[in-house]
Amino acid sequence: MSGTTIQRDRRRRQAIFRWVVLGLALLYFLVPMVSLFDFSIRFPLTGNVDLDSWAALFGGDDSGRLDMLGEGLTNSLIMAVMTVVISLALLLPTMVLVKLKSPQFSRAVEFISLLPLTIPAVVLVVGLAPIYLVISTRILDSNTIWLAFAYVILVLPFVYRSLDAGLRAIDLKTLTETARSFGASWWTIMVRVIVPNVRTAIISAVFISVALVLGEFTFARMLARTNLQTALFQINLSDGQIAAAVSLIALGGTTILLVLLDLVVGLREAARRRPEEPLAAAAPAPTPTETSAS
Amino acid sequence: MTLSRSAVPVSMAHLSRAFGSVRALDDFSLDLAPGEMVCLLGPSGCGKTTALRALSGLEDIDAGSITVDGVEVSGVPANKRDMAMVFQSYSLFPHMTVADNISFALELRKVPRAERTRILEESLELVGLGAHGNRYAHQLSGGQQQRVALARALAVRPQVLLLDEPLSALDAKVRVQLRDEIRRIQSEIGITALFVTHDQEEALAIADRVGVMQEGRLEQIGTPEEIYTAPRSGFVADFIGVTNRLAGRAASGVADVLGQRVPLLDGSADGDVAVLVRPENIELEPDAAGSAEVVVVGFLGAHSRVQLRLQDGTLVSAQVPVSEAHALTVGGRVALRLRPVPALAV
Amino acid sequence: MTTQPLTGRDATASRPARRWLAHAGTLPFFAYTGVFLILPTLLVVVGAFRSREGAFTLNGLEQLLSPRTLTIFANSLVLSAVTAVVGAVLGALIAYALATAPSGSMGRRLFTAFCSVVAQFGGVMLAFAFIATFGINGLLTRLLQDWAGYTVNGQFLSTLPGVAVVYAYFQIPLMVIVFLPALDGLRVQWREATENLGGSTWTYWSRVAGPILAPSFLGSLLLLFANSFSAFATAAALISQQTLIVPMEIESALRNENDLGMDAYAQALALGMIVVVALVMWAYAALQKRAARWTA
């Protein structure tokens, strides 16, 4: 008697379903991006199609209309670096310390780190306004880049979750005790034992933080500073095509960033399965569960 | 007992199933007598699980037929076959209590509530979990979960019971306990059952018949004792229990091994052969002129196992009573005597 | 912290001091978050009841409960609820389609990475993309006009429904990312056991998979709600004329802080938002705990 295909038929139906749904979804997601591109090359009033706006972006522009954009981009990039450095320098040693020496603080640290998820940026900025007034006038100056201090708070939950997953996956206690028994100092332990083993978690935290800082709008707008997003907003009022082009570049950049992250995570997983690296950390999955569209 | 019903025969004839270039089932045939428990045994990838799943309907077949109680069921979807399965892990529905798990199939068949409650109580008693009806899967131990899975499978009185390595995920002690219980329940109810495992001790302990599989084919099927004492191929002999390979010469059903004569099983090869001798069929005696040297003496509780090195360097494993092992010393020489138990030569 | 072997007397004498030293290592973290997180939050909570002279006032609350503000709150809540439901349902569907593919497959990983990108797509850029699609000079506007003779309302994107359509764009991928792990947690054995015991596909979804996924689904929906409620940039880029939702009202209140009668208003609005989001997140945490217990 010839064979049966009941299970095979079901799997095929599933595959068709999958292709249709994901195909439609992809279409839905791509249409606005295609529109962005179309907008960037089509002058709205005359319908002329040209690459002027793109040329202006890459070829350099003397008219000064791109100055604000340049300023915003520079500020955002500097702040991204600052945020990453401060958040990691703040969280990693603290979390290691708490795990090893002060476990009674772990709930407090977790609660505070995840608190920004419950306090929207629009709310936080109301309370930050007077603080930044003091910072601008009496402690530092009104330079935009000091906004990074507040950005650290915004990225706190994501960096915490990433590092937490990474630290959980390694046997921190054994690693440090082994290193201590060989006479290593704490600095050495941190830099040469812990960091390499949570590399993937750190990379993940870095990528998410950068994406968040580059996309941040609320703080900058409410506190009247210039970053990439507020500059984009301004430029859109005078030159929508350039705004569209820059948005597309930012999108492309973030895509590459996140795809790279996914590949790196995938490679680390594969490496971990090889028997050569007995102390390698597990690769935690990146979970950007809140958007920065705040 | 309400849970039993008259047992039915099962026949799997010439089943074939390939996954790409891998033949999971290769002209596989097996008949289960009514009320019989057959164990399918073999290394990973031998096709035993595929055979089980093909019987249950969870796996398609490329060719062959499956008959239950004389009725052809090959084209019948899994949920219409009157069989129930116990899985290796994640058997229970996590969001339901034990009672709900067991009553699940009964509710699907619209069994009236009074009847359902009665069967539920009986099932819980059967597996010894009477007081645990309101607990959830994550509150039970591994062994308890599998017992509930068994009760759930039997609650609807299926024609065939299928068990897919149900004990493999459990601790050793629980495994031994539970396998005896499964066997007791199966034979009390008298249900035809197919049990898949890679643990040969398990298979030998509970099955009416054991089928050894390799690469999609049934190598040999017989009672546990037959499989153990009369293996028909080197693969089966190696897979079941421990066996030694001793060089010898075979001719007309008798082999000349270590200067002694050993009768051979049917199907043995002739000429220069390796004779497969079990450790318990080797007797030892301390003898300064003996042909073997003691390498290791290991105490295994009920008996001792001794490793010997022969003159040609071959390592041999012998099983001796503990009292005899005391007389042996590491490095000392012993004389070997092979019992005249028929062995296989390959 | 230095490593020093402890000798007998050393140990007893310095143990409390060493422990204090160990705890002191967490000071930077608590100090930093104290200044930049706890302090602002306190300023909001206290400020909601504090006039600019420093006296206690209920003006903020009064303004909060005014019909106009209540309407704005209602707008925010409805917008969040609608986009949460739409995002949850469509996102769950897409997540399910993804889950049917093997988890290591390249296609699935790329699609998931793509969803991460879209979910993080900053509000301002997203608004531009939609204006480029549905705005007066938008691509789809033009295509629909040319092919179907249908004129899209040029002001659509500045209305609440229009904003909702744009929000859906990042809510759906967010749902996919948040809900996919729950779908992966569905064990194949549960499906097979259902079949084995005589259940159909409908049985599986209605009595097994559905109930098991329900807490995660609801939890994810709540997360989407909170996300939508807190969003500001997208709306700010789309709507220029009026304040339709609470975050925009907060901006307006901050800008007009020194006007008459605006004491404590911005803080009161912020406090209102905290209450809503805190409630939602608390419910989310409770549901997550329940879901974890079952699929563990």
Side-chain angles (χ1 to χ4, degrees):
Chain A
M1 175 166 160
S2 64
T4 61
T5 54
I6 303 171
Q7 298 289 341
R8 249 170 300 203
D9 287 342
R10 177 192 294 168
R11 274 197 291 272
R12 194 157 1 119
R13 280 198 301 271
Q14 236 180 24
I16 295 176
F17 171 80
R18 179 166 67 243
W19 280 98
V20 167
V21 170
L22 293 183
L24 287 174
L26 211 57
L27 204 66
Y28 170 72
F29 289 137
L30 286 178
V31 164
M33 299 187 190
V34 169
S35 305
L36 254 190
F37 180 68
D38 172 80
F39 197 87
S40 71
I41 60 177
R42 183 187 299 267
F43 195 65
L45 291 180
T46 62
N48 274 353
V49 177
D50 59 36
L51 292 169
D52 267 359
S53 50
W54 291 90
L57 277 177
F58 289 110
D61 182 271
D62 300 331
S63 67
R65 57 187 174 145
L66 291 184
D67 285 353
M68 177 177 270
L69 200 54
E71 184 190 340
L73 180 61
T74 316
N75 283 341
S76 279
L77 287 174
I78 296 177
M79 288 194 286
V81 172
M82 284 172 68
T83 308
V84 163
V85 168
I86 298 176
S87 64
L88 283 175
L90 201 60
L91 263 183
L92 189 58
T94 307
M95 288 173 75
V96 168
L97 199 63
V98 163
K99 267 201 192 321
L100 292 178
K101 299 270 187 184
S102 319
Q104 60 266 52
F105 285 151
S106 81
R107 296 209 65 190
V109 170
E110 179 177 15
F111 179 74
I112 292 183
S113 300
L114 296 180
L115 201 54
L117 288 178
T118 319
I119 304 182
V122 273
V123 165
L124 207 53
V125 80
V126 173
L128 281 172
I131 296 179
Y132 264 89
L133 194 59
V134 170
I135 293 181
S136 306
T137 53
R138 284 197 268 211
I139 303 180
L140 293 165
D141 56 29
S142 58
N143 194 335
T144 302
I145 61 170
W146 305 129
L147 220 46
F149 297 141
Y151 285 170
V152 167
I153 302 296
L154 283 183
V155 305
L156 212 57
F158 307 110
V159 175
Y160 175 84
R161 261 202 272 234
S162 208
L163 292 180
D164 189 46
L167 286 174
R168 259 183 228 268
I170 62 174
D171 191 349
L172 191 65
K173 203 160 185 297
T174 312
L175 273 178
T176 45
E177 281 175 1
T178 313
R180 289 284 296 277
S181 74
F182 283 115
S185 71
W186 278 107
W187 176 255
T188 312
I189 292 178
M190 187 61 98
V191 171
R192 300 185 58 182
V193 175
I194 297 179
V195 167
N197 274 299
V198 292
R199 228 188 335 235
T200 322
I202 293 180
I203 292 175
S204 170
V206 167
F207 279 24
I208 295 173
S209 304
V210 168
L212 202 145
V213 171
L214 290 180
E216 208 286 323
F217 176 76
T218 309
F219 281 8
R221 160 112 156 190
M222 302 274 222
L223 297 176
R225 318 267 166 141
T226 307
N227 73 352
L228 178 60
Q229 298 296 320
T230 55
L232 261 180
F233 189 93
Q234 278 303 113
I235 270 242
N236 185 50
L237 299 177
S238 55
D239 194 327
Q241 290 186 279
I242 293 210
V246 174
S247 300
L248 217 45
I249 295 175
L251 177 67
T254 331
T255 312
I256 295 177
L257 214 69
L258 276 158
V259 169
L260 271 181
L261 172 65
D262 185 61
L263 284 176
V264 165
V265 166
L267 283 174
R268 290 284 293 187
E269 287 267 273
R272 188 169 55 91
R273 283 193 210 110
R274 288 198 303 264
E276 303 155 19
E277 291 196 66
L279 287 180
T287 50
T289 58
E290 297 264 319
T291 76
S292 62
S294 53
Chain B
M1 183 186 215
T2 40
L3 283 178
S4 35
R5 59 195 274 190
S6 46
V8 299
V10 173
S11 171
M12 294 188 270
H14 304 290
L15 300 184
S16 276
R17 177 84 170 112
F19 293 109
S21 58
V22 177
R23 313 196 78 187
L25 288 177
D26 191 356
D27 196 26
F28 173 86
S29 296
L30 177 66
D31 287 330
L32 305 176
E36 181 180 33
M37 166 99 104
V38 170
C39 267
L40 281 183
L41 182 62
S44 322
C46 69
K48 55 192 192 293
T49 304
T50 313
L52 185 81
R53 290 169 61 87
L55 179 55
S56 75
L58 291 173
E59 200 63 67
D60 290 327
I61 51 175
D62 297 333
S65 85
I66 301 174
T67 319
V68 176
D69 202 12
V71 178
E72 173 82 45
V73 297
S74 322
V76 178
N79 58 355
K80 296 273 190 296
R81 298 194 194 187
D82 195 7
M83 309 183 198
M85 188 140 118
V86 178
F87 296 86
Q88 181 175 351
S89 48
Y90 300 111
S91 322
L92 303 180
F93 299 130
H95 62 302
M96 296 185 186
T97 59
V98 162
D100 288 335
N101 261 284
I102 297 178
S103 317
F104 180 73
L106 297 172
E107 281 173 37
L108 285 183
R109 286 163 178 67
K110 308 228 191 326
V111 172
R113 176 183 287 261
E115 172 96 0
R116 248 181 15 228
T117 318
R118 198 176 43 79
I119 296 183
L120 172 62
E121 274 167 23
E122 255 184 50
S123 307
L124 285 172
E125 279 310 310
L126 183 67
V127 296
L129 287 174
H132 296 260
N134 283 325
R135 309 184 85 180
Y136 286 86
H138 66 267
Q139 295 169 310
L140 302 173
S141 71
Q144 287 171 324
Q145 286 179 28
Q146 292 302 70
R147 283 199 243 154
V148 174
L150 185 62
R152 182 180 70 182
L154 294 174
V156 285
R157 297 177 252 171
Q159 289 177 311
V160 187
L161 178 65
L162 306 167
L163 303 118
D164 187 1
E165 305 208 45
L167 308 175
S168 302
L170 304 173
D171 292 337
K173 240 202 168 122
V174 178
R175 222 184 291 169
V176 174
Q177 230 175 342
L178 203 46
R179 82 183 180 208
D180 291 335
E181 256 193 70
I182 292 178
R183 175 54 161 165
R184 176 184 63 81
I185 294 172
Q186 182 264 339
S187 69
E188 262 178 37
I189 298 187
I191 186 173
T192 313
L194 187 61
F195 188 114
V196 160
T197 179
H198 62 268
D199 184 334
Q200 41 104 357
E201 195 196 305
E202 206 165 89
L204 294 180
I206 63 175
D208 287 315
R209 278 192 302 155
V210 175
V212 182
M213 284 184 71
Q214 188 193 28
E215 288 173 11
R217 285 183 313 275
L218 194 59
E219 286 278 324
Q220 184 177 352
I221 181 147
T223 65
E225 203 175 319
E226 275 168 24
I227 295 281
Y228 187 82
T229 56
R232 259 186 256 131
S233 72
F235 173 76
V236 176
D238 271 332
F239 195 80
I240 310 284
V242 182
T243 188
N244 295 297
R245 289 179 164 246
L246 301 175
R249 272 198 80 76
S252 34
V254 180
D256 191 3
V257 188
L258 300 178
Q260 303 169 41
R261 298 175 63 86
V262 175
L264 295 180
L265 293 167
D266 290 338
S268 288
D270 272 344
D272 284 320
V273 293
V275 180
L276 305 175
V277 180
R278 298 235 182 249
E280 61 270 21
N281 291 332
I282 301 179
E283 288 175 357
L284 303 178
E285 216 184 289
D287 181 351
S291 55
E293 179 196 341
V294 174
V295 178
V296 179
V297 179
F299 174 68
L300 293 180
H303 52 253
S304 287
R305 185 149 288 171
V306 183
Q307 265 198 56
L308 313 158
R309 190 178 291 123
L310 300 178
Q311 253 147 14
D312 63 1
T314 322
L315 284 175
V316 173
S317 197
Q319 184 177 300
V320 297
V322 177
S323 49
E324 276 183 36
H326 286 326
L328 303 173
T329 50
V330 175
R333 303 202 74 87
V334 292
L336 276 171
R337 200 177 80 80
L338 303 173
R339 292 216 186 95
V341 174
L344 186 69
V346 296
Chain C
M1 272 173 62
T2 55
T3 58
Q4 274 168 12
L6 293 170
T7 59
R9 275 196 65 190
D10 234 337
T12 350
S14 58
R15 202 177 300 140
R18 293 191 99 242
R19 214 183 304 141
W20 186 90
L21 203 65
H23 293 339
T26 59
L27 200 60
F29 174 78
F30 287 119
Y32 190 95
T33 52
V35 170
F36 285 102
L37 177 58
I38 311 291
L39 186 56
T41 312
L42 286 177
L43 285 176
V44 165
V45 173
V46 168
F49 299 101
R50 202 169 174 275
S51 75
R52 84 197 71 195
E53 291 93 25
F56 178 81
T57 176
L58 286 174
N59 181 50
L61 273 190
E62 272 172 42
Q63 295 271 16
L64 188 64
L65 297 171
S66 70
R68 180 174 165 271
T69 312
L70 285 179
T71 313
I72 295 180
F73 253 95
N75 285 347
S76 266
L77 290 170
V78 168
L79 177 67
S80 307
V82 167
T83 55
V85 170
V86 168
V89 169
L90 293 178
L93 198 64
I94 296 177
Y96 173 66
L98 264 185
T100 60
S103 74
S105 87
M106 188 48 115
R108 171 171 152 156
R109 278 166 52 193
L110 277 177
F111 199 96
T112 316
F114 184 63
C115 278
S116 305
V117 171
V118 181
Q120 296 277 10
F121 199 16
V124 170
M125 302 188 285
L126 183 62
F128 291 171
F130 267 82
I131 293 174
T133 315
F134 286 117
I136 300 178
N137 290 304
L139 180 67
L140 276 192
T141 315
R142 229 179 27 250
L143 289 178
L144 284 172
Q145 178 71 48
D146 292 344
W147 292 349
Y150 174 75
T151 315
V152 173
N153 178 6
Q155 296 305 310
F156 176 63
L157 288 175
S158 318
T159 62
L160 224 46
V163 172
V165 170
V166 181
Y167 273 28
Y169 190 82
F170 61 71
Q171 293 282 67
I172 294 175
L174 181 63
M175 180 66 176
V176 172
I177 295 173
V178 176
F179 192 56
L180 195 56
L183 282 170
D184 280 340
L186 281 178
R187 302 289 167 185
V188 64
Q189 287 90 335
W190 297 335
R191 169 97 209 215
E192 293 182 342
T194 312
E195 268 191 74
N196 225 264
L197 295 167
S200 61
T201 306
W202 168 252
T203 315
Y204 174 63
W205 282 104
S206 63
R207 304 185 59 157
V208 179
I212 293 179
L213 289 173
S216 299
F217 180 80
L218 285 173
S220 307
L221 193 148
L222 287 176
L223 198 63
L224 259 58
F225 182 92
N227 188 47
S228 178
F229 192 72
S230 314
F232 171 64
T234 318
L238 287 173
I239 309 171
S240 44
Q241 311 293 47
Q242 347 145 254
T243 51
L244 287 177
I245 55 174
V246 181
M248 301 183 77
E249 181 74 354
I250 290 185
E251 186 191 19
S252 155
L254 268 185
R255 217 179 287 138
N256 302 324
E257 217 173 12
N258 297 316
D259 287 359
L260 218 53
M262 285 306 231
D263 279 19
Y265 183 42
Q267 289 86 341
L269 284 168
L271 183 61
M273 279 193 81
I274 293 183
V275 168
V276 171
V277 179
L279 273 172
V280 170
M281 292 303 280
W282 173 83
Y284 168 72
L287 280 168
Q288 282 299 87
K289 232 191 299 184
R290 169 84 80 94
R293 225 184 350 151
W294 287 348
T295 57

